[in-house]
mmCIF file of all heavy atoms in Angstrom:
data_model
loop_
_atom_site.group_PDB
_atom_site.id
_atom_site.type_symbol
_atom_site.label_atom_id
_atom_site.label_comp_id
_atom_site.label_asym_id
_atom_site.label_seq_id
_atom_site.Cartn_x
_atom_site.Cartn_y
_atom_site.Cartn_z
ATOM 1 N N CYS A 876 99.995 93.332 106.516
ATOM 2 C CA CYS A 876 99.900 94.786 106.379
ATOM 3 C C CYS A 876 101.194 95.406 106.884
ATOM 4 O O CYS A 876 101.825 94.878 107.788
ATOM 5 C CB CYS A 876 98.705 95.304 107.162
ATOM 6 S SG CYS A 876 97.155 94.512 106.655
ATOM 7 N N TRP A 877 101.583 96.534 106.291
ATOM 8 C CA TRP A 877 102.906 97.067 106.619
ATOM 9 C C TRP A 877 102.970 98.566 106.404
ATOM 10 O O TRP A 877 102.122 99.163 105.739
ATOM 11 C CB TRP A 877 103.990 96.378 105.783
ATOM 12 C CG TRP A 877 103.720 96.434 104.297
ATOM 13 C CD1 TRP A 877 103.046 95.505 103.554
ATOM 14 C CD2 TRP A 877 104.092 97.467 103.384
ATOM 15 N NE1 TRP A 877 102.986 95.899 102.241
ATOM 16 C CE2 TRP A 877 103.620 97.097 102.098
ATOM 17 C CE3 TRP A 877 104.797 98.659 103.514
ATOM 18 C CZ2 TRP A 877 103.817 97.896 100.970
ATOM 19 C CZ3 TRP A 877 104.988 99.452 102.389
ATOM 20 C CH2 TRP A 877 104.509 99.064 101.132
ATOM 21 N N ALA A 878 104.031 99.149 106.988
ATOM 22 C CA ALA A 878 104.367 100.559 106.770
ATOM 23 C C ALA A 878 105.851 100.729 107.022
ATOM 24 O O ALA A 878 106.445 99.997 107.822
ATOM 25 C CB ALA A 878 103.573 101.466 107.708
ATOM 26 N N TRP A 879 106.455 101.676 106.311
ATOM 27 C CA TRP A 879 107.842 102.029 106.588
ATOM 28 C C TRP A 879 108.037 103.521 106.413
ATOM 29 O O TRP A 879 107.288 104.173 105.706
ATOM 30 C CB TRP A 879 108.851 101.240 105.766
ATOM 31 C CG TRP A 879 108.791 101.329 104.257
ATOM 32 C CD1 TRP A 879 108.344 100.356 103.410
ATOM 33 C CD2 TRP A 879 109.224 102.390 103.406
ATOM 34 N NE1 TRP A 879 108.458 100.768 102.110
ATOM 35 C CE2 TRP A 879 108.995 102.008 102.072
ATOM 36 C CE3 TRP A 879 109.780 103.641 103.647
ATOM 37 C CZ2 TRP A 879 109.298 102.825 100.990
ATOM 38 C CZ3 TRP A 879 110.084 104.459 102.565
ATOM 39 C CH2 TRP A 879 109.845 104.048 101.262
ATOM 40 N N ARG A 880 109.020 104.049 107.142
ATOM 41 C CA ARG A 880 109.430 105.446 107.004
ATOM 42 C C ARG A 880 110.945 105.483 106.916
ATOM 43 O O ARG A 880 111.634 104.896 107.730
ATOM 44 C CB ARG A 880 108.961 106.293 108.177
ATOM 45 C CG ARG A 880 109.571 107.714 108.119
ATOM 46 C CD ARG A 880 109.034 108.674 109.120
ATOM 47 N NE ARG A 880 107.628 108.998 108.955
ATOM 48 C CZ ARG A 880 107.134 109.782 107.989
ATOM 49 N NH1 ARG A 880 107.908 110.283 107.067
ATOM 50 N NH2 ARG A 880 105.833 110.049 107.972
ATOM 51 N N ILE A 881 111.448 106.193 105.890
ATOM 52 C CA ILE A 881 112.880 106.462 105.732
ATOM 53 C C ILE A 881 112.993 107.950 105.425
ATOM 54 O O ILE A 881 112.695 108.383 104.311
ATOM 55 C CB ILE A 881 113.502 105.611 104.602
ATOM 56 C CG1 ILE A 881 113.314 104.112 104.885
ATOM 57 C CG2 ILE A 881 114.993 105.944 104.446
ATOM 58 C CD1 ILE A 881 113.675 103.214 103.717
ATOM 59 N N GLY A 882 113.381 108.742 106.424
ATOM 60 C CA GLY A 882 113.430 110.194 106.247
ATOM 61 C C GLY A 882 112.028 110.725 105.971
ATOM 62 O O GLY A 882 111.078 110.409 106.677
ATOM 63 N N GLN A 883 111.892 111.513 104.901
ATOM 64 C CA GLN A 883 110.591 112.064 104.537
ATOM 65 C C GLN A 883 109.749 111.074 103.728
ATOM 66 O O GLN A 883 108.566 111.300 103.511
ATOM 67 C CB GLN A 883 110.775 113.364 103.739
ATOM 68 C CG GLN A 883 111.421 114.481 104.541
ATOM 69 C CD GLN A 883 110.603 114.838 105.777
ATOM 70 O OE1 GLN A 883 109.400 115.049 105.692
ATOM 71 N NE2 GLN A 883 111.248 114.878 106.934
ATOM 72 N N ALA A 884 110.369 109.991 103.245
ATOM 73 C CA ALA A 884 109.660 109.010 102.420
ATOM 74 C C ALA A 884 108.952 107.986 103.309
ATOM 75 O O ALA A 884 109.494 107.557 104.325
ATOM 76 C CB ALA A 884 110.643 108.302 101.494
ATOM 77 N N TYR A 885 107.755 107.612 102.897
ATOM 78 C CA TYR A 885 107.022 106.576 103.623
ATOM 79 C C TYR A 885 106.091 105.873 102.652
ATOM 80 O O TYR A 885 105.717 106.409 101.617
ATOM 81 C CB TYR A 885 106.231 107.160 104.793
ATOM 82 C CG TYR A 885 105.148 108.130 104.377
ATOM 83 C CD1 TYR A 885 103.863 107.686 104.075
ATOM 84 C CD2 TYR A 885 105.425 109.489 104.269
ATOM 85 C CE1 TYR A 885 102.873 108.567 103.680
ATOM 86 C CE2 TYR A 885 104.446 110.380 103.868
ATOM 87 C CZ TYR A 885 103.173 109.913 103.572
ATOM 88 O OH TYR A 885 102.204 110.798 103.174
ATOM 89 N N ARG A 886 105.747 104.644 103.002
ATOM 90 C CA ARG A 886 104.773 103.850 102.243
ATOM 91 C C ARG A 886 104.029 102.974 103.224
ATOM 92 O O ARG A 886 104.551 102.645 104.291
ATOM 93 C CB ARG A 886 105.469 102.991 101.185
ATOM 94 C CG ARG A 886 106.064 103.846 100.073
ATOM 95 C CD ARG A 886 106.552 103.059 98.907
ATOM 96 N NE ARG A 886 105.448 102.327 98.284
ATOM 97 C CZ ARG A 886 105.635 101.326 97.422
ATOM 98 N NH1 ARG A 886 106.845 100.952 97.091
ATOM 99 N NH2 ARG A 886 104.610 100.698 96.894
ATOM 100 N N PHE A 887 102.826 102.557 102.835
ATOM 101 C CA PHE A 887 102.068 101.626 103.680
ATOM 102 C C PHE A 887 101.084 100.864 102.816
ATOM 103 O O PHE A 887 100.753 101.289 101.705
ATOM 104 C CB PHE A 887 101.357 102.344 104.835
ATOM 105 C CG PHE A 887 100.431 103.452 104.425
ATOM 106 C CD1 PHE A 887 99.113 103.188 104.082
ATOM 107 C CD2 PHE A 887 100.877 104.763 104.387
ATOM 108 C CE1 PHE A 887 98.249 104.200 103.717
ATOM 109 C CE2 PHE A 887 100.019 105.791 104.018
ATOM 110 C CZ PHE A 887 98.702 105.505 103.686
ATOM 111 N N SER A 888 100.628 99.711 103.337
ATOM 112 C CA SER A 888 99.674 98.869 102.612
ATOM 113 C C SER A 888 98.691 98.236 103.586
ATOM 114 O O SER A 888 99.085 97.744 104.639
ATOM 115 C CB SER A 888 100.402 97.765 101.848
ATOM 116 O OG SER A 888 99.482 96.814 101.354
ATOM 117 N N ASP A 889 97.403 98.218 103.169
ATOM 118 C CA ASP A 889 96.359 97.555 103.950
ATOM 119 C C ASP A 889 96.214 96.080 103.559
ATOM 120 O O ASP A 889 95.488 95.336 104.219
ATOM 121 C CB ASP A 889 95.016 98.256 103.736
ATOM 122 C CG ASP A 889 95.007 99.676 104.278
ATOM 123 O OD1 ASP A 889 95.563 99.900 105.357
ATOM 124 O OD2 ASP A 889 94.435 100.569 103.609
ATOM 125 N N ASP A 890 96.875 95.638 102.491
ATOM 126 C CA ASP A 890 96.869 94.239 102.032
ATOM 127 C C ASP A 890 95.492 93.579 102.110
ATOM 128 O O ASP A 890 95.330 92.527 102.726
ATOM 129 C CB ASP A 890 97.903 93.420 102.808
ATOM 130 C CG ASP A 890 98.083 92.013 102.200
ATOM 131 O OD1 ASP A 890 98.063 91.888 100.965
ATOM 132 O OD2 ASP A 890 98.243 91.053 102.974
ATOM 133 N N GLY A 891 94.501 94.216 101.515
ATOM 134 C CA GLY A 891 93.178 93.603 101.453
ATOM 135 C C GLY A 891 92.236 93.956 102.588
ATOM 136 O O GLY A 891 91.046 93.660 102.511
ATOM 137 N N GLU A 892 92.743 94.543 103.663
ATOM 138 C CA GLU A 892 91.852 95.027 104.727
ATOM 139 C C GLU A 892 91.158 96.297 104.206
ATOM 140 O O GLU A 892 91.628 96.914 103.248
ATOM 141 C CB GLU A 892 92.649 95.361 106.001
ATOM 142 C CG GLU A 892 93.245 94.164 106.707
ATOM 143 C CD GLU A 892 92.241 93.324 107.492
ATOM 144 O OE1 GLU A 892 91.027 93.382 107.186
ATOM 145 O OE2 GLU A 892 92.673 92.598 108.396
#
Side-chain angles (χ1 to χ4, degrees):
C876 304
W877 54 269
W879 59 253
R880 172 172 295 287
I881 301 170
Q883 295 301 310
Y885 63 89
R886 291 190 62 195
F887 56 86
S888 169
D889 295 320
D890 189 38
E892 292 285 22

